[in-house]
Amino acid sequence: MNKTKKRLKRLKPLYFRFLCEECKSEEEIWLRDDELEALFLADFQGLYHDECARAMGISRPTFSKMLKVARRKSVDFFIHGKRLRIEKTSSRFVLAFPTHDRIHLAPSLLEAKFLGFAQVEEGEIKALTYEENPLLKEESGCLGGGGGRFKLLAPLLQGSSLLVVREIGEGFKRNLESLGLSVVVSSKIHLDEVMQEI
């Protein structure tokens, strides 16, 4: 497998867990350290998106998506009083992706035969595992819309940091992001190309 580009991160947070004193919620939001870096560069330092992307060694569209997710997670933390944890992504993470043939991204998460899980360490895939897509096992009329699909997928995706898909509805995407999962829409099809993009 090809190695992914090393994202350049200069920000070194002193603390990695935050919670509101009055918060009763046990729900935790995971903000990746590269998402925190995006917030720092764009919102704290006031750099333009092109400058931020260059500073992090990523494309401008990737930076814009990352910043949007980071802002949403931050607002969710402040508005809903959830717990916040900074996740170090520089060394290891689990990438989830829908697939029919275990190599290529399927066009739709809802119709993929399998969900693939890549254990990524230092930019290399160390292990690949696959699970049958639980959405295919259910009869189409019994899912109850996005909420039913979310309930079926949530336990399976719980240990993942990043979900890469080719298309996804905005509401379903927000539900998955509420798990602390970063959702990236990619135009790439082959897993090697996806690894180069992220």
Side-chain angles (χ1 to χ4, degrees):
M1 295 282 166
N2 291 330
K3 289 188 176 185
T4 185
K5 293 178 191 171
K6 185 120 177 136
R7 289 186 178 166
L8 308 173
K9 287 179 263 185
R10 294 173 292 183
L11 184 64
K12 306 290 183 208
L14 299 175
Y15 305 100
F16 293 89
R17 294 185 81 178
F18 306 89
L19 79 122
C20 165
E21 286 182 11
E22 301 161 4
C23 118
K24 294 185 169 111
S25 174
E26 292 296 316
E27 205 172 331
E28 194 166 56
I29 298 167
W30 287 77
L31 183 71
R32 294 190 342 234
D33 59 357
D34 55 356
E35 293 168 343
L36 178 62
E37 178 84 3
L39 283 171
F40 174 74
L41 292 171
D43 297 337
F44 188 77
Q45 290 193 329
L47 299 177
Y48 292 108
H49 286 200
D50 287 337
E51 296 171 307
C52 297
R54 276 195 303 276
M56 292 183 71
I58 58 177
S59 70
R60 188 183 183 285
T62 298
F63 175 80
S64 296
K65 291 175 194 171
M66 186 182 300
L67 182 62
K68 182 179 179 182
V69 169
R71 285 175 174 164
R72 182 179 289 130
K73 289 179 181 180
S74 299
V75 170
D76 194 19
F77 166 69
F78 287 114
I79 299 296
H80 298 115
K82 297 178 182 176
R83 298 165 188 255
L84 178 71
R85 181 182 292 207
I86 308 298
E87 178 184 7
K88 297 178 188 178
T89 58
S90 55
S91 59
R92 59 182 5 198
F93 62 94
V94 176
L95 173 124
F97 61 97
T99 183
H100 289 307
D101 61 6
R102 302 176 186 235
I103 297 172
H104 300 92
L105 260 67
S108 168
L109 175 65
L110 305 178
E111 298 170 5
K113 291 181 184 176
F114 304 101
L115 290 175
F117 299 92
Q119 299 277 346
V120 180
E121 293 182 24
E122 298 301 330
E124 290 186 37
I125 295 177
K126 297 294 183 179
L128 278 168
T129 57
Y130 301 91
E131 296 283 339
E132 287 187 21
N133 188 346
L135 300 178
L136 292 180
K137 293 180 183 177
E138 295 297 315
E139 292 182 25
S140 57
C142 299
L143 291 175
R149 286 179 253 164
F150 174 71
K151 287 178 184 175
L152 282 174
L153 284 178
L156 199 55
L157 294 171
Q158 200 66 45
S160 302
S161 306
L162 181 65
L163 172 66
V164 180
V165 294
R166 288 175 50 199
E167 62 180 49
I168 191 167
E170 195 59 37
F172 194 39
K173 180 180 176 189
R174 277 196 301 273
N175 283 344
L176 292 172
E177 286 173 342
S178 73
L179 293 173
L181 186 67
S182 294
V183 180
V184 174
V185 178
S186 174
S187 61
K188 306 298 182 195
I189 296 174
H190 198 281
L191 185 56
D192 284 340
E193 294 172 338
V194 170
M195 286 297 297
Q196 289 175 357
E197 185 179 57
I198 62 169

